[in-house]
Amino acid sequence: MLDVKDFTFFDKQSSFDFKGFLIKTASYWKWFVIGLIIAFSIAHQVNVRKQKIYGIETTIAVQEENNPFFTANTSLVFNWGGTSDKVQMISTTLKSRSHNEVVVDRLQFYVDYLRQTKYFLQDVYGEVPFKVTLDRTQNQLLGQFVKVKMLSRDKYQITIPFQSNTAEVIKYADNRITTIAVPNKEFVKTFKVGEDVSLPFLHWKLSLANYSGDNFDEETLIRCNPFDATVSGLKGIKVDTDDKAGSILKLGMEGTNKARMVDYLNATVEVLIKRQLDSKNKFAENTINFIDETLGSMEKQLKNSGEELKDFSKNNNIIDIEEGGANYKQQLLDFDAKKDDVERKIAYLNSLKNYLKGSVDFSKLPAPTVAGIDEPNINTNVARLISLSIQRSELVYSIKGEVYYERIDNEIQSVKKVLLENANSYRTALQYDLNLANEKIAKIEGEISKLPENKQEWLKLSRKYNLSDNIYNTFLQKRSEASIVKAANLSDIQFIDPAKDVGGGLLGPKTSVNYVLAFFLGILIPLVLVFFIFFISNSIQNIEDISSLTQLPLLGIVGVKHSETNLSVFERPKSALSESFRAIRSSLQFLYKKQSIEGTKTLMLTSSVSGEGKTFCSINIATVFALSEKKTIILGLDLRKPKIFDDFNIQNEIGAVNYLIGQKRLDEVIQKTHIPYLDVITSGPIPPNPSELILGESMKEMMDQLKKEYDYIILDTPPVGLVSDALELAQYCDVTLYIVRQNFTKKEMLTLLNNRSKRGELNNISIIFNGYENKAKYGVGYGYGYGYGYSYGYGYGSGYHEDEEPTGFFSKLYYKFFIKRRNNGKQ
């Protein structure tokens, strides 16, 4: 049982005995061993029940990739934004729901591959010998396990333990969840590998993957999860910027399955690269679409002009007509081409103005160069406006929220204002060029009007055909340039380190940390428990407690008895415990001599409460006097709770009570014991008035008669802390021994004892410290510590004491292998 024997922190000199403290703490080693066993058992159970958590990373670079075909002569411009803006935008996109929905759908990661282990369901994606591909347009069993077991390389069996008549199914094409009827029993069926499974609640195709001859035995659990819940669980990807390179992004995931994380990280980057390249090609696609529409109408116009010119040539002599009109034809062609170029630029600017004022989505704007506009400010701002519009559309599910929306909207408005100002300024310059071209054409047309009608008609038809042909060729060139630029575009995102399982990457659980923590807790909790019991304990623990609470002398120290009866001295006269009582006998004789007491000596033993060892000490003190051939008698005066007779195998039918009430003579109540020179007067029947009997004249007469016959009279009295009988008996005693038991007697009882001593209620008081055990102080192998100068121990007590085999585990080992062998060697 846990106690706090001799657990002292501060001595009288207010110094801390650290070495003693460690030795005392070590005496409770059993509690620490139990604490460590429990703590390590808990840590082990925690470790084996937790799945291992791994971390996988990939690294990408974000940079400005200019088109290799973009030169000073290229008509299309595709530069926008800065690298820092792209890094921010990419970080936002990687965490957005819209992006992760594409990745999850592409990998079909809403399908779980699980295997039941002893403590948990283990994700075995990438380890099973097969892969299932779901039909997104058909019903799939939702949230319920489908057991799959490979029977051979060509066949497999599915088992579904349905628990009710209905089950939920989901169509991943639109994520619609419905309830359908199913058989209320276990469904078992065999299918061929590669066969299309078509059931009301399941539509998939199973194909072999990671096949090996030894991975077909175990049963795999397949489960389809809600799409939105899967996306929510996977979009928590970590995106960190490299401190040394702002354009480098590190993407990381944590989970229990490394193969799943590797596939997801690589897929999320691939999807990001594709989306970013598609956005970058949007500029060229808008231009190509615009040109294709224009070419369609121009092709008809060119065909009609050619037909008209062909019909005119059939009916006229073209050679004669061309003479004298060729000069006008070339001049008109040059000025018409210049006029058309200016008109197309003005038309684009007007269209741009209307588009900017009437639309909020600018991602479909064609390039200004499609109309021949090579103004750098206009080209750059149109490209910037398209980029911002695409960014804003991708923020529908962004985590940035309204603040980021507001920033992009403000930037779009600023670019619009600048672009409108640029367009107005450029339109003014173009209007001047258009007026100039019209004047030149009008002048030439005036001169042509003087020519014959057939030449005028030929010039008109030729002019119309050549203009259409020139415009058509121009647009073909523009389209070719746009196609080349689109094909040569590079993504601004590049893999530096694709995700890969290279071993390691274990993040948790930290088994070593758990065991270290278990070690400290296994030590700390018992230590705190010992401290707690020590600090809340109000009982006497050691000699220092007695000396600090009272000035009364400590006459002797009695250890813990190891015999079944209270006759410890008689049964084992050479034990250390017997020596402690002999030491008390010597101290008593010194007190009697000091008080000059001649003749019979009387001794009273009392205590605070019952159970502190008065009877035990009375019997053994009387025994040591009797063994020295002194006539000794024990007088049992605890009339309320008599118990001194049991150890001597005598009856308590008659005793001191019978004498005090006049029923018996003194010689009739005295009983002999089996110990020579030792007699006993038991208390006898329990009286209704024990205090009155003790106060009577008969008590004085009994004491006087006993003093005539005995050398020593030992009074075993009731606890002075409970009744007043002992106070009435004090007048008959030469010395009073107050029994204090270690870890039992309360400290406040010594305060009461001090008060009784000061008031003179008890005289010549000395203290016996009973039940004292000091092995915590001296450690294993140094004896039991039964008193001052009597703790000979195993090694030093040989030949003086009977060897008492200890009860402690380490003490037993020491006794068996060292003391007993040494004693046997001496015999």
Side-chain angles (χ1 to χ4, degrees), residues 130-132 148 150 156 193-195 204-208:
F130 61 85
K131 181 180 180 181
V132 295
V148 176
M150 299 299 301
Y156 68 95
V193 173
E195 177 186 357
W204 76 24
K205 179 186 288 186
L206 184 144
S207 56
L208 292 181

Side-chain angles (χ1 to χ4, degrees), residues 303-503:
K303 183 178 180 181
N304 294 334
S305 300
E307 292 293 336
E308 292 177 356
L309 185 60
K310 184 178 181 181
D311 293 339
F312 181 82
S313 301
K314 288 180 180 180
N315 301 323
N316 295 279
N317 188 351
I318 298 302
I319 297 175
D320 293 338
I321 294 175
E322 284 182 348
E323 292 181 4
N327 187 39
Y328 294 116
K329 176 184 175 182
Q330 187 60 43
Q331 291 183 34
L332 280 174
L333 181 60
D334 293 339
F335 286 116
D336 281 339
K338 187 176 294 185
K339 177 183 177 181
D340 180 73
D341 182 57
V342 174
E343 286 179 340
R344 277 191 290 109
K345 292 178 180 178
I346 294 175
Y348 178 85
L349 294 176
N350 292 333
S351 175
L352 178 63
K353 180 179 179 181
N354 295 332
Y355 195 87
L356 293 177
K357 290 183 177 181
S359 179
V360 292
D361 182 12
F362 309 107
S363 60
K364 297 181 180 180
L365 277 174
T369 51
V370 77
I373 297 175
D374 54 4
E375 174 63 29
N377 291 330
I378 295 178
N379 288 337
T380 301
N381 287 327
V382 168
R384 181 61 180 162
L385 197 59
I386 293 173
S387 173
L388 290 172
S389 185
I390 293 173
Q391 289 182 29
R392 193 186 190 286
S393 65
E394 291 181 346
L395 287 176
V396 176
Y397 300 103
S398 173
I399 62 172
K400 286 294 181 181
E402 295 182 358
V403 176
Y404 202 64
Y405 270 121
E406 185 177 351
R407 186 179 73 81
I408 291 184
D409 288 341
N410 292 336
E411 191 169 354
I412 288 175
Q413 293 299 323
S414 299
V415 174
K416 279 175 58 177
K417 290 180 181 179
V418 174
L419 187 56
L420 288 172
E421 291 295 330
N422 293 335
N424 290 333
S425 299
Y426 193 55
R427 188 186 296 106
T428 302
L430 290 175
Q431 192 63 46
Y432 175 79
D433 293 340
L434 180 60
N435 294 335
L436 187 61
N438 286 332
E439 291 178 1
K440 298 290 187 180
I441 291 173
K443 183 178 180 181
I444 295 174
E445 286 178 344
E447 295 179 0
I448 291 175
S449 63
K450 299 175 182 179
L451 295 175
E453 289 185 3
N454 58 348
K455 288 189 176 184
Q456 291 184 35
E457 184 65 21
W458 175 78
L459 287 172
K460 178 182 177 182
L461 295 175
S462 178
R463 175 187 179 187
K464 182 179 179 181
Y465 175 80
N466 289 335
L467 180 61
S468 298
D469 183 60
N470 185 61
I471 295 173
Y472 188 82
N473 290 331
T474 301
F475 274 101
L476 281 178
Q477 181 183 356
K478 301 289 185 183
R479 193 188 190 287
S480 177
E481 290 177 357
S483 298
I484 292 173
V485 170
K486 178 183 176 182
N489 264 337
L490 300 175
S491 174
D492 292 340
I493 302 169
Q494 294 182 0
F495 266 122
I496 293 180
D497 259 338
K500 184 180 180 182
D501 179 13
V502 294

Side-chain angles (χ1 to χ4, degrees), residues 100-110 136 172 227:
N100 285 277
E101 283 178 348
V102 176
V103 181
V104 169
D105 190 56
R106 172 179 171 181
L107 296 173
Q108 290 197 354
F109 264 20
Y110 36 74
R136 297 176 65 256
Y172 286 108
F227 183 81

Side-chain angles (χ1 to χ4, degrees), residues 449-723:
S449 63
K450 299 175 182 179
L451 295 175
E453 289 185 3
N454 58 348
K455 288 189 176 184
Q456 291 184 35
E457 184 65 21
W458 175 78
L459 287 172
K460 178 182 177 182
L461 295 175
S462 178
R463 175 187 179 187
K464 182 179 179 181
Y465 175 80
N466 289 335
L467 180 61
S468 298
D469 183 60
N470 185 61
I471 295 173
Y472 188 82
N473 290 331
T474 301
F475 274 101
L476 281 178
Q477 181 183 356
K478 301 289 185 183
R479 193 188 190 287
S480 177
E481 290 177 357
S483 298
I484 292 173
V485 170
K486 178 183 176 182
N489 264 337
L490 300 175
S491 174
D492 292 340
I493 302 169
Q494 294 182 0
F495 266 122
I496 293 180
D497 259 338
K500 184 180 180 182
D501 179 13
V502 294
L506 181 64
L507 301 179
K510 300 292 186 179
T511 55
S512 58
V513 173
N514 288 342
Y515 285 125
V516 171
L517 183 62
F519 174 79
F520 283 108
L521 288 178
I523 296 293
L524 181 62
I525 292 176
L527 187 62
V528 170
L529 182 62
V530 171
F531 284 171
F532 177 75
I533 294 177
F534 170 75
F535 282 114
I536 67 171
S537 174
N538 192 34
S539 58
I540 302 297
Q541 304 298 324
N542 46 51
I543 300 170
E544 286 80 2
D545 286 345
I546 298 175
S547 61
S548 64
L549 293 171
T550 182
Q551 298 298 318
L552 297 174
L554 180 65
L555 188 68
I557 301 174
V558 178
V560 178
K561 73 168 184 175
H562 296 280
S563 58
E564 294 182 359
T565 69
N566 286 327
L567 301 176
S568 299
V569 173
F570 181 76
E571 293 176 355
R572 307 188 70 175
K574 295 182 65 177
S575 67
L577 183 62
S578 299
E579 289 300 325
S580 66
F581 281 108
R582 291 188 180 96
I584 294 173
R585 179 185 63 185
S586 300
S587 299
L588 286 172
Q589 290 174 344
F590 174 78
L591 289 177
Y592 292 137
K593 185 176 181 181
K594 185 178 180 181
Q595 296 179 25
S596 301
I597 298 174
E598 300 295 336
T600 302
K601 285 83 174 175
T602 58
L603 176 66
M604 182 178 74
L605 282 83
T606 187
S607 65
S608 302
V609 293
S610 179
E612 291 174 310
K614 300 183 307 299
T615 301
F616 170 70
C617 292
S618 298
I619 292 173
N620 286 283
I621 290 175
T623 301
V624 294
F625 281 124
L627 291 177
S628 62
E629 299 183 352
K630 302 292 182 181
K631 290 193 64 177
T632 307
I633 188 169
I634 304 174
L635 185 54
L637 294 178
D638 191 350
L639 305 182
R640 291 174 174 82
K641 194 177 179 181
K643 57 181 177 180
I644 202 169
F645 53 89
D646 286 337
D647 297 290
F648 296 105
N649 294 321
I650 58 179
Q651 301 298 319
N652 190 38
E653 295 177 356
I654 59 173
V657 172
N658 301 98
Y659 175 83
L660 293 176
I661 62 176
Q663 287 183 348
K664 299 290 183 179
R665 298 188 309 274
L666 184 61
D667 59 338
E668 293 178 331
V669 297
I670 295 176
Q671 301 186 58
K672 300 292 183 179
T673 70
H674 61 283
I675 301 176
Y677 300 99
L678 180 60
D679 297 336
V680 174
I681 298 178
T682 63
S683 60
I686 299 175
N689 57 343
S691 296
E692 287 72 15
L693 289 178
I694 291 175
L695 288 172
E697 190 66 25
S698 299
M699 184 69 205
K700 183 177 184 303
E701 294 175 358
M702 183 172 63
M703 291 298 298
D704 291 340
Q705 292 183 46
L706 291 174
K707 287 181 179 180
K708 294 177 183 179
E709 299 182 21
Y710 292 94
D711 297 319
Y712 290 94
I713 302 174
I714 311 297
L715 305 184
D716 180 36
T717 64
V720 72
L722 299 179
V723 295

